[in-house]
């Protein structure tokens, strides 16, 4: 299978990609990382640049279609390939897009529904037992890919964490890709609501499956002086102790496997 | 209604500065979805019903000429006069002609988004008629000189205290308490009762038009539509072509979807069928009835890729579930229709030029599409409008250039690698060990409201991964 690293993990959080690699290997996969990959093309697509996004989509399809499965540590990038490439392309490319879509998964869904991690190969991290962890559903994962229970189950079984639920768990955090740069004030209002909801849940850590949401929320929390830790769900499932939370400083553990 | 969609961001900014109204919106943004959810859950197979109605409506729009023909024939046979209005001005003129013919002075209106669209009130008032909105929310707004912020609850943005002050100020009724909401409602009801009795002409909208009987259907929760329709001697129904449905049973299906999606009610308090004028031997009902079918670009929409928008039942669920609407409020959108449906309808019914921020007021979270009883793929239509903006060069130049550069970069991996490596290194250097950066020269939009989280490492994943592989193979 092939790992779709995602541009945000590549640039901001390599440990998410390393944790993904390790988890996929633990599940028994032979993982390749196509070297020429860049990004799924969402920013342009969502800004209405269908031509540019189409070029990116065709490239991604050609690069990844030889793999049995494509897995991404992101609901929105996987959703882009699964739901939007077929909508964007025509003719033969549409068929190829559909074929790739049927083999593309977000990582927690893949590790639950397709290639489950072997039971009992890991003891839950004791450093996590006293933490109060809430889970943030990213909209694309939730509504495009129906990801809801998978990350929570993995957190429970692999990390010994019973995720706390946010009151408005199905409401967007305000990231929205280019939206947060085009309409920063509205976006920030939405992020603040999500942070308030997180604090109200009693959590001291917010975990999610999409770096976009997490980076945007971490940035808003830092601006508001709110003390919360932000992490991608694979960091907890794999090994919580790899460095600091998102936006909290350099990760000591980054770069190791 | 004067359109201010062009200043959406400024409007939203102003709205978010009002803490009481903002909190009120957040409260409704939680409450309304809860009501809708419980209404839908108590139905059973809501999705099947929504799929069924969607098919019926697609079929009706596909054969619009047939159903329109049948509707007009039946409605005329029932004694109605049916008129067509190409645009808002034509509708307004038709209405004032009818009023003039009857030497009317007082007009009462039920809630009608179509006449908001044509700014009928302004027109009639300018012609010297006394016009009274009789839906409680619309009445409050008329007295306050404000515009609707929501298509179902037009005055939801107004806190109770403001309404109390307004009534004490506007109604010449001497000293009184107006202690609670019930007292406010009672006062408005008392005043409106007389207006109904005095009115010469009643104007209402329609939720559905039934082709095989020529009837129109209206639902309200206050019963004011029925009083508008039955007490004055003349009734005018102002509505649009896309309300057509083949049979009465289709309308009942639609009303099920509508009420549950709008307020969670299984059915609205009043659902009425209007057939036409009072018949010989009947004791009440209007003596003369008119139906005005407004086009106002709907036939253009029918022929366009945005045709699904004509399935909209105006339930307001997409507003209630839209986090941008909840944050910015309905007035920010600057015209009649706010929220996701408004961000599509406003450009289509006015101009994309005037309203090009609206299709961007969307995070593509998909919650509106999930709840829309008409199964409209709202986020896709919004994205398509952004695509049109791009083609029409309506978005800022730096965005367009940036986007083109970005797309090119994504298909040029060698350069992409070098640039991301450079960016990561500079960002880590700028952060100097701190978790995030407060300001970034090239990310003004972002840093206006957020710090910029620094990358966790000075090297990209790809760089690290390649080095690891190399050292392993070197061994
Ligand atoms: S677009 Fe859908 S959800 Fe929005 S008002 Fe229309 S029918 Fe209701």
């Amino acid at each position: 299978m092939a790992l779709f690293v995602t541009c945000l993990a590549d640039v901001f959080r390599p440990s998410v990609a390393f944790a993904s690699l390790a988890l996929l290997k633990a599940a028994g996969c032979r993982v390749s990382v196509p070297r020429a990959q860049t990004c799924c093309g969402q920013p342009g697509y969502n800004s209405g640049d269908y031509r540019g996004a189409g070029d990116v989509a065709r490239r991604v399809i050609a690069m990844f279609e030889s793999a049995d499965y494509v897995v991404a540590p992101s609901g929105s990038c996987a959703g882009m390939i699964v739901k939007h490439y077929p909508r964007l392309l025509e003719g033969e490319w549409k068929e190829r897009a559909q074929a790739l879509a049927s083999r593309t998964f977000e990582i927690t869904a893949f590790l639950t529904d397709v290639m489950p991690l072997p039971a009992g190969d890991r003891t839950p991290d004791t450093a996590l037992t006293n933490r109060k962890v809430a889970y943030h559903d990213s909209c694309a994962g939730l509504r495009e890919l129906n990801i809801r229970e998978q990350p929570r189950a993995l957190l429970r079984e692999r990390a010994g964490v019973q995720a706390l639920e946010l009151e408005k768990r199905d409401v967007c955090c305000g990231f929205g890709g280019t939206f947060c740069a085009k309409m920063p004030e509205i976006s920030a209002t939405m992020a603040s609501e999500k942070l308030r909801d997180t604090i109200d849940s009693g959590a001291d850590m917010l975990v999610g499956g999409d770096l976009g949401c997490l980076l945007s929320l971490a940035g808003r929390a830092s601006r508001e002086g709110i003390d919360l830790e932000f992490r991608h769900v694979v960091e907890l499932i794999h090994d919580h102790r790899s460095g600091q939370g998102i936006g909290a400083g350099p990760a000591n553990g980054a770069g190791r496997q | 209604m004067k359109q201010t969609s062009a200043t959406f961001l400024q409007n939203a900014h102003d709205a978010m500065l009002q803490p009481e109204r903002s909190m009120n919106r957040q409260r409704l943004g939680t409450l309304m979805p809860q009501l809708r959810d419980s209404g839908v859950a108590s139905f059973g197979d809501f999705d099947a019903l929504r799929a069924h109605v969607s098919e019926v409506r697609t079929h009706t729009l596909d054969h619009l000429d047939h159903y329109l023909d049948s509707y007009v024939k039946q409605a005329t046979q029932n004694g109605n006069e049916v008129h067509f209005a190409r645009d808002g001005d034509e509708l307004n003129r038709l209405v004032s002609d009818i009023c003039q013919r009857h030497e009317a002075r007082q007009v009462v209106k039920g809630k009608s988004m179509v006449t908001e669209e044509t700014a009928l009130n302004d027109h009639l008032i300018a012609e010297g008629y006394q016009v009274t909105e009789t839906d409680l929310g619309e009445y409050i707004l008329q007295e306050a000189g404000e515009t609707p912020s929501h298509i179902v609850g037009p005055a939801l943005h107004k806190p109770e205290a403001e309404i109390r002050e307004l009534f004490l100020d506007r109604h010449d009724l001497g000293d009184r308490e107006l202690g609670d909401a019930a007292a406010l409602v009672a006062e408005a009801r008392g005043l409106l009762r007389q207006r109904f009795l005095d009115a010469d002409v009643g104007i209402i909208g329609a939720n559905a038009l039934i082709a095989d009987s020529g009837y129109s259907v209206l639902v309200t929760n206050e019963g004011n539509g029925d009083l508008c329709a039955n007490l004055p001697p003349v009734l005018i129904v102002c509505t649009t072509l896309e309300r057509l449905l083949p049979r009465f049973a289709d309308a009942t299906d639609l009303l099920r979807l509508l009420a549950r999606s709008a307020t969670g009610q299984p059915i609205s308090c009043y659902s009425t069928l209007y057939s036409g004028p009072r018949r010989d031997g009947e004791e009440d009902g209007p003596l003369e009835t008119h139906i005005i079918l407004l086009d106002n670009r709907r036939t253009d929409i029918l022929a366009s890729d945005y045709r699904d928008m004509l399935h909209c039942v105006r339930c307001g669920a997409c507003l209630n579930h839209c986090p941008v609407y909840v944050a910015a409020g309905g007035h920010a959108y600057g015209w009649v229709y706010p929220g996701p449906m408004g961000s599509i309808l406003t450009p289509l019914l006015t101009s994309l030029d005037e309203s090009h921020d609206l299709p961007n007021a969307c995070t593509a979270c998909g919650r509106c599409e999930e709840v829309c009883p008409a199964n409209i793929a709202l986020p896709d239509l919004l994205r398509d409008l952004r695509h049109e903006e791009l083609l029409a060069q309506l978005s800022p130049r730096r965005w367009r250039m940036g986007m083109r550069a970005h797309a090119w970069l994504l298909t040029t991996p060698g350069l992409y690698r070098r640039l991301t490596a450079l960016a990561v290194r500079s960002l880590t250097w700028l952060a100097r060990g701190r978790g995030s950066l407060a300001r970034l020269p090239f990310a003004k939009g972002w840093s206006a409201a957020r710090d910029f989280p620094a990358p966790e490492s000075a090297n990209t994943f790809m760089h690290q991964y390649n080095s690891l592989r190399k050292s392993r193979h070197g061994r």
Side-chain angles (χ1 to χ4, degrees):
Chain A
M1 56 127 319
L3 179 69
F4 190 88
V5 174
T6 78
C7 59
L8 291 179
D10 183 36
V11 168
F12 287 97
R13 203 79 182 154
S15 53
V16 167
F18 281 116
S20 303
L21 273 177
L23 286 168
L24 291 167
K25 282 181 188 158
C29 300
R30 251 189 38 227
V31 191
S32 71
V33 181
R35 293 301 198 284
Q37 62 177 296
T38 54
C39 158
C40 66
Q42 257 183 106
Y45 176 67
N46 277 328
S47 300
D49 179 12
Y50 291 171
R51 207 184 54 178
D55 292 344
V56 177
R58 279 186 286 272
R59 246 191 109 248
V60 170
I61 293 168
M63 196 182 320
F64 282 88
E65 66 189 344
S66 62
D68 292 336
Y69 295 109
V70 178
V71 176
S74 155
S76 80
C77 307
M80 177 74 188
I81 298 174
V82 172
K83 293 281 166 184
H84 297 285
Y85 282 6
R87 183 176 186 268
L88 189 57
L89 300 173
E90 307 274 350
E92 177 221 348
W93 279 104
K94 192 187 205 71
E95 283 167 29
R96 289 168 72 176
Q98 280 160 344
L100 186 69
S102 67
R103 289 181 277 124
T104 300
F105 295 89
E106 183 272 348
I107 190 158
T108 63
F110 185 77
L111 292 175
T112 316
D113 307 337
V114 185
M115 292 278 282
L117 286 164
D121 75 327
R122 169 155 183 256
T123 41
D125 193 332
T126 48
L128 282 173
T129 41
N130 293 324
R131 300 298 300 271
K132 297 205 170 54
V133 180
Y135 191 78
H136 166 59
D137 294 285
S138 77
C139 296
L142 185 64
R143 279 181 273 268
E144 292 180 346
L145 304 172
N146 270 320
I147 296 165
R148 193 180 271 267
E149 292 315 317
Q150 298 94 324
R152 291 173 171 84
L154 287 172
L155 281 172
R156 207 165 40 237
E157 287 152 23
R158 313 287 308 176
V161 167
Q162 180 65 47
L164 299 168
E165 296 300 341
L166 304 186
E167 191 197 353
K168 294 189 247 180
R169 62 187 238 176
D170 60 347
V171 178
C172 173
C173 68
F175 170 58
T178 47
F179 172 81
C180 72
K182 282 184 187 161
M183 305 199 168
E185 211 183 343
I186 300 173
S187 167
T189 301
M190 292 161 66
S192 295
E193 274 303 308
K194 185 59 73 182
L195 293 172
R196 190 163 316 142
D197 203 1
T198 309
I199 292 164
D200 288 348
S201 77
D204 54 25
M205 187 195 299
L206 186 66
V207 170
D210 268 274
L211 279 173
C213 311
L214 295 166
L215 287 161
S216 130
L217 287 168
R220 183 64 191 165
S222 161
R223 178 64 56 93
E224 282 197 65
I226 291 173
D227 187 22
L228 274 172
E229 188 173 334
F230 297 88
R231 289 194 181 269
H232 192 285
V233 62
V234 295
E235 298 177 40
L236 269 68
I237 300 169
H238 173 54
D239 182 359
H240 169 241
R241 284 151 299 186
S242 56
Q244 309 197 43
I246 293 164
N252 319 322
R256 75 201 160 80
Q257 244 175 306
Chain B
M1 183 171 169
K2 196 175 153 288
Q3 188 176 1
T4 59
S5 313
T7 50
F8 172 76
L9 288 177
Q10 184 61 43
N11 307 345
H13 170 83
D14 295 344
M16 289 186 292
L17 283 181
Q18 303 180 320
E20 195 183 349
R21 288 190 175 194
S22 296
M23 261 160 60
N24 192 35
R25 284 198 301 275
Q26 293 293 345
R27 194 177 53 77
L28 289 167
T30 311
L31 175 68
M32 297 309 289
Q34 285 168 351
L35 292 176
R36 183 256 170 205
D37 282 354
S38 62
V40 166
S42 68
F43 179 76
D45 201 347
F46 195 74
D47 286 342
L49 180 66
R50 125 161 123 163
H52 170 70
V53 172
S54 171
E55 256 174 57
V56 171
R57 300 201 75 194
T58 304
H59 166 86
T60 316
L61 289 175
D62 283 347
H63 302 90
L64 195 60
D65 48 347
H66 168 78
Y67 288 111
L68 188 59
D69 210 40
S70 154
Y71 172 77
V72 172
K73 238 180 244 151
Q74 295 299 328
T76 312
Q77 233 168 53
N78 299 342
N80 299 285
E81 246 183 82
V82 183
H83 315 257
F84 289 89
R86 211 171 319 137
D87 54 24
D89 287 345
E90 252 183 56
L91 179 136
N92 293 348
R93 226 172 307 126
L94 280 164
V95 172
S96 55
D97 284 353
I98 297 168
C99 291
Q100 208 178 4
R101 216 178 321 134
H102 289 274
E103 292 174 6
R105 293 186 42 241
Q106 307 207 21
V107 177
V108 284
K109 277 184 72 209
K111 197 168 90 58
S112 147
M113 296 316 289
V114 167
T115 58
E116 290 284 346
E117 202 176 304
T118 70
L120 176 63
N121 287 9
D122 294 347
H123 173 81
L124 289 178
I125 290 167
E127 305 242 301
Y129 300 98
Q130 187 202 54
V131 183
T132 307
E133 290 286 354
T134 63
D135 170 270
L136 179 60
E138 291 279 2
Y139 173 72
I140 291 167
L141 296 184
Q142 193 184 21
E143 289 298 308
E146 292 181 28
T147 53
S149 61
H150 191 287
I151 58 171
V152 173
L156 278 177
H157 62 277
K158 274 189 101 63
E160 194 182 308
E162 272 184 40
I163 300 170
R164 180 169 302 113
E165 220 166 281
L166 178 76
F167 280 13
L168 289 172
D169 184 41
R170 300 275 306 178
H171 299 158
D172 193 12
L173 291 172
D175 269 351
R176 61 206 187 283
E177 271 288 306
L178 288 184
D180 56 2
L184 292 169
V185 174
E187 177 158 314
R189 177 187 285 136
L191 283 160
L192 288 170
R193 226 6 89 88
Q194 197 53 47
R195 302 278 175 98
F196 285 122
L197 292 169
D198 294 344
D200 307 301
V201 173
I203 298 176
I204 59 171
N207 295 98
L209 302 173
I210 299 168
D212 71 358
S213 62
Y215 292 1
S216 64
V217 183
L218 179 72
V219 297
T220 68
N221 275 328
E222 298 170 19
N224 61 313
D226 294 335
L227 295 175
C228 285
N230 287 310
L231 294 180
V234 180
L235 167 67
I236 307 174
V237 179
C238 296
T239 185
T240 50
L241 303 165
E242 78 272 21
R243 300 287 144 233
L244 270 171
L245 285 169
R247 301 158 308 166
F248 180 58
D250 303 320
T252 56
D253 285 340
L254 181 125
L255 296 189
R256 287 196 173 97
L257 288 180
L258 172 62
R260 282 169 207 269
S261 303
T263 54
Q265 292 165 286
I267 188 162
S268 310
C269 298
Y270 300 88
S271 307
T272 310
L273 283 163
Y274 300 100
S275 56
R278 182 191 307 190
R279 273 174 286 209
D280 288 345
E282 286 179 348
E283 284 190 3
D284 52 15
L287 299 168
E288 187 177 310
T289 57
H290 298 264
I291 293 151
I292 306 180
L293 296 170
L294 173 71
D295 183 338
N296 203 21
R297 303 202 189 175
R298 277 155 178 91
T299 40
D300 295 343
I301 298 177
L302 185 66
S304 76
D305 293 337
Y306 300 95
R307 171 184 240 219
D308 286 354
M309 245 356 257
L310 297 179
H311 288 221
C312 171
V313 301
R314 309 286 192 266
C315 71
C318 60
L319 281 58
N320 300 334
H321 288 77
C322 175
V324 177
Y325 172 87
V326 170
H331 288 140
Y333 294 79
W335 198 54
V336 179
Y337 303 107
M341 56 86 82
S343 298
I344 299 166
L345 279 179
T346 306
L348 296 179
L349 296 179
T350 64
S351 83
L352 189 56
D353 214 354
E354 270 288 293
S355 56
H356 65 83
D357 271 340
L358 300 190
N360 293 285
C362 168
T363 64
C365 78
R367 210 168 165 225
C368 52
E369 178 177 1
E370 188 175 56
V371 297
C372 173
N375 268 347
I376 304 172
L378 298 152
D380 287 343
L381 297 184
L382 286 162
R383 196 186 304 103
D384 289 348
L385 282 169
R386 300 200 281 276
H387 177 59
E388 276 190 34
E389 280 177 18
L390 193 76
L391 298 180
Q393 312 205 330
L394 291 175
S395 36
R397 196 181 133 79
R398 69 188 163 83
W399 265 109
R400 280 182 279 126
M401 301 307 285
M403 225 142 52
R404 194 169 320 149
H406 186 244
W408 175 73
L409 196 60
L410 294 186
T411 49
T412 319
L415 184 62
Y416 178 85
R417 267 312 144 253
R418 279 201 295 282
L419 283 181
T420 46
L422 182 69
V424 166
R425 222 161 281 144
S426 335
L427 284 172
T428 345
W429 179 78
L430 280 169
R432 292 192 192 81
R434 280 164 302 163
S436 34
L437 299 127
R439 221 172 301 283
L440 268 186
F442 55 85
K444 264 226 299 292
W446 177 289
S447 34
R450 292 178 166 84
D451 292 344
F452 199 89
E456 68 175 357
S457 147
N459 291 305
T460 63
F461 166 77
M462 279 301 186
H463 181 93
Q464 296 180 37
Y465 184 75
N466 281 332
S467 330
L468 274 173
R469 301 283 293 199
K470 257 186 225 138
S471 65
R472 203 165 299 160
H473 287 296
R475 247 179 264 151

